[in-house]
Amino acid sequence: AEFVASPPGGLIRRGAETMLASRLRLGKNVLRTSTTSLRAMSTPRLTESTLNKKVVEAEYAVRGAIVLRGMQHEEALARGEKRPFTKMVFCNVGNPQQLQQKPITYFRQLLALMDYPEMIDNPPSMFPSDVVARAKKIMARAPGGTGAYSESKGLKVLREDVAAFIETRDGVKADPERIFLTDGASQGVNVALNCLIRDRNDSIMIPIPQYPLYTATIALLGGHYSPYYLNEENGWSMDIAELERSAAQAKKDGKCLRALAVINPGNPTGQCLSPENMREVVKFCEREGMVLLADEVYQQNVYGEGNTSMGLYDKSLRASHGFTSFRQVVAEMGSSCQLMSFHSVSKGVVGECGRRGGYLELENICDSVQDQILKLFSVGLCSNISGQVMVGAMVAPPKPGDPSWDLFKSEFDSLYDSLKRRSQKLSKALNEMPNVSCTYIDGALYAFPTVHLPPKAVAEAQAKNMVPDAFFCLELLDATGICVVPGSGFKQKEGTFHFRTTFLPPEAEFDDVISKMGAFTKEFMAKYA
């Protein structure tokens, strides 16, 4: 007799196969019909209890309960209600223009011409000739302008600009066909994690403290994250031994390690990795067979001695300890490490958060995977065109000798230098506050100080059913109108407390913000001593 495989597994005689298969199909159909009927009869109303549990489990502290409380204060002040403060200062999110950072003139002029192309052929005198020429170049290869869909990867003329920027920055060849223009860096991260996470057994290694985008997206996708802790005592550095510990624990727990996420410069911690440390990270990913996710949206915000605002556009102006991309490190090592790199127009000196522009670059990712990534982007048709134009402007600004150069350079330098001064002023002030300590801010837009909360403050928080650092941040908000984010929203070592604050309030008002924060901290520590 001939034996064959048949569902649900095992061997049966071929003579009996048809009858058994028929019975199996009948049973499945009955079960399917019964289940469908039951659901049809008892479809629940949409409430929190019937939501997708992954949505309920996802958390995003940067826009959490404390921020909502701050918005309530702002609305109350607008109604003329009294508060202990006269205005809100939102230091919870890196949103520069909300805090009065002025946009770069060149960027806005280019966007204006792109959105109103009738001006291109007869531009007002305020538009320099290089802005007009740039708008014409883009429009010639953007049928329909900013009001039409582009190809799903983004306008090729702008992807070519990104590739040229990467070549200038890193000294390595870049392929515009391996670049995707995205709605902010967040969309690129989301697409990458969608490709990597198959089920709960797939794990992404993420830094702690981390940016909540990662834990929230992993939760939504039903994946798992494996934490590796940054070393606060050594300036929030990455320790390869800690990576190995985290990886070993994940394997012990039966997890399949899929990728390592690195945020450089760091958010919320403000550290910058050295090239030596980066090479160790690349070797680690090679050994473990993991994809390296390089979140590099703060690459313009590197404040170490000798760095300048123009370092990304001209290597001769970059300090030896300025920003280095993982793309450059992988290329120089001749590594086969699979790399996905992210950048954005929201941070840096650009600060155009509302434009939602960014890019994703793939390196050592096979063509078949790239095809699947393109499919995911195609589902959303394309990223917004104004954001794409903003990316093109960020990576290809005016050059020396262009009519727009002098004003662009003046505005760019002024913003960069101001951010650098505020970063230094904030870290110094935080270290002078009682029970507060802060590492030197190398980069990005944030400080992440430790707050040594007295036992009475911890007990009071627990009595209110609150996390202790959230209690501190809420008290700060209600007393001063300064909105910061508790460190617990970014994850942190057990038994430690932090908060994240930007240094984005206008420089003319910055001393006042620091003074109010310091006075509150002194009173709070005395109250609970």
Side-chain angles (χ1 to χ4, degrees):
E2 183 180 359
F3 291 85
V4 296
S6 180
L11 298 175
I12 63 170
R13 290 180 184 272
R14 181 175 292 279
E17 184 184 17
T18 302
M19 181 180 295
L20 177 57
S22 176
R23 288 176 177 173
L24 285 170
R25 284 195 297 271
L26 177 61
K28 288 180 179 177
N29 287 337
V30 169
L31 180 59
R32 188 180 298 115
T33 301
S34 299
T35 305
T36 302
S37 299
L38 182 61
R39 285 191 173 182
M41 292 168 58
S42 59
T43 300
R45 290 180 62 81
L46 185 63
T47 65
E48 184 174 345
S49 65
T50 61
L51 276 175
N52 180 342
K53 296 302 181 188
K54 297 182 182 71
V55 173
V56 178
E57 291 169 1
E59 296 180 349
Y60 191 70
V62 174
R63 293 283 179 94
I66 290 175
V67 181
L68 295 176
R69 177 74 159 262
M71 293 170 67
Q72 291 171 357
H73 283 319
E74 189 172 50
E75 291 170 358
L77 289 169
R79 293 192 298 267
E81 296 179 19
K82 297 296 184 181
R83 291 291 187 273
F85 43 88
T86 57
K87 72 173 186 176
M88 282 295 305
V89 182
F90 287 99
C91 296
N92 59 294
V93 64
N95 192 10
Q97 293 184 24
Q98 182 193 36
L99 291 166
Q100 301 176 40
Q101 177 171 307
K102 291 183 178 180
I104 301 290
T105 300
Y106 174 84
F107 296 157
R108 290 302 180 90
Q109 288 177 332
L110 179 61
L111 288 164
L113 291 178
M114 290 298 300
D115 280 337
Y116 192 35
E118 286 78 2
M119 287 196 299
I120 293 177
D121 293 325
N122 189 25
S125 59
M126 71 176 64
F127 289 87
S129 59
D130 58 330
V131 180
V132 177
R134 182 72 180 282
K136 286 181 177 179
K137 176 185 175 182
I138 298 171
M139 284 298 296
R141 297 176 62 185
T146 57
Y149 293 133
S150 71
E151 58 185 288
S152 295
K153 288 182 181 179
L155 290 167
K156 188 169 183 179
V157 63
L158 300 175
R159 288 186 285 115
E160 289 170 350
D161 286 338
V162 173
F165 163 76
I166 293 169
E167 290 179 23
T168 299
R169 184 193 66 189
D170 300 338
V172 298
K173 189 74 175 174
D175 182 358
E177 294 306 320
R178 305 189 76 78
I179 293 167
F180 295 77
L181 301 182
T182 58
D183 285 322
S186 300
Q187 184 190 20
V189 172
N190 191 291
V191 166
L193 293 176
N194 262 281
C195 291
L196 288 162
I197 294 172
R198 299 165 297 183
D199 55 41
R200 183 65 182 169
N201 292 316
D202 283 338
S203 191
I204 310 296
M205 292 183 64
I206 64 170
I208 301 297
Q210 55 97 34
Y211 180 52
L213 166 68
Y214 289 91
T215 47
T217 306
I218 291 167
L220 287 169
L221 295 173
H224 179 271
Y225 73 86
S226 297
Y228 65 90
Y229 291 88
L230 301 177
N231 187 340
E232 184 173 8
E233 291 72 24
N234 193 28
W236 296 111
S237 61
M238 279 183 75
D239 187 342
I240 298 302
E242 170 61 13
L243 293 183
E244 291 171 343
R245 179 208 62 79
S246 177
Q249 185 62 52
K251 293 172 187 176
K252 182 179 178 182
D253 294 339
K255 303 300 180 183
C256 177
L257 291 172
R258 300 285 284 164
L260 171 71
V262 180
I263 307 174
N264 181 46
N267 176 13
T269 49
Q271 90 288 358
C272 296
L273 299 180
S274 69
E276 295 75 23
N277 200 182
M278 295 169 75
R279 284 190 284 271
E280 291 178 327
V281 170
V282 170
K283 290 176 183 177
F284 173 79
C285 288
E286 283 180 335
R287 289 196 303 271
E288 296 292 339
M290 289 191 293
V291 175
L292 175 55
L293 304 177
D295 185 334
E296 298 173 334
V297 303
Y298 297 97
Q299 57 190 264
Q300 283 182 331
N301 303 107
V302 178
Y303 307 118
E305 185 177 350
N307 281 292
T308 72
S309 67
M310 294 288 119
L312 292 180
Y313 305 116
D314 185 343
K315 270 198 165 185
S316 68
L317 300 175
R318 197 181 313 170
S320 59
H321 52 280
F323 175 76
T324 301
S325 74
F326 271 105
R327 176 76 168 78
Q328 178 179 337
V329 171
V330 167
E332 290 176 348
M333 292 175 65
S335 171
S336 61
C337 175
Q338 292 183 296
L339 174 67
M340 297 183 180
S341 302
F342 313 97
H343 194 15
S344 168
V345 303
S346 298
K347 311 304 177 184
V349 177
V350 180
E352 293 279 2
C353 301
R355 301 291 169 183
R356 307 310 300 135
Y359 72 75
L360 159 67
E361 187 200 13
L362 307 178
E363 180 67 12
N364 294 328
I365 304 294
C366 66
D367 290 344
S368 59
V369 171
Q370 180 170 320
D371 289 343
Q372 296 300 316
I373 291 173
L374 175 58
K375 179 176 69 178
L376 284 181
F377 277 99
S378 299
V379 171
L381 297 175
C382 69
S383 59
N384 82 90
I385 306 302
S386 293
Q388 292 187 32
V389 172
M390 191 63 243
V391 171
M394 173 184 71
V395 299
K399 294 180 172 59
D402 289 346
S404 297
W405 168 253
D406 288 342
L407 178 59
F408 172 80
K409 178 75 161 52
S410 173
E411 291 176 339
F412 214 79
D413 285 350
S414 177
L415 287 172
Y416 175 86
D417 292 344
S418 176
L419 286 169
K420 184 174 181 177
R421 286 192 298 269
R422 281 177 277 170
S423 74
Q424 294 169 346
K425 182 175 286 188
L426 179 60
S427 60
K428 180 176 183 293
L430 287 167
N431 281 310
E432 292 172 351
M433 296 179 192
N435 289 18
V436 177
S437 60
C438 183
T439 60
Y440 177 77
I441 303 169
D442 286 324
L445 299 173
Y446 315 102
F448 196 68
T450 290
V451 185
H452 304 280
L453 295 174
K456 287 184 180 179
V458 174
E460 180 71 13
Q462 292 170 343
K464 295 177 180 291
N465 199 29
M466 295 183 68
V467 178
D469 52 14
F471 172 65
F472 175 84
C473 293
L474 186 61
E475 293 284 297
L476 171 67
L477 171 68
D478 289 344
T480 67
I482 300 170
C483 183
V484 299
V485 187
S488 48
F490 300 89
K491 311 297 181 186
Q492 55 195 349
K493 278 188 176 180
E494 188 71 27
T496 66
F497 306 113
H498 301 78
F499 65 88
R500 189 192 79 166
T501 178
T502 70
F503 42 85
L504 290 172
E507 195 162 15
E509 302 173 14
F510 202 60
D511 287 343
D512 184 56
V513 172
I514 288 176
S515 175
K516 288 178 179 177
M517 188 180 291
F520 165 81
T521 302
K522 184 177 180 180
E523 291 178 11
F524 181 92
M525 297 303 172
K527 178 179 179 180
Y528 292 103

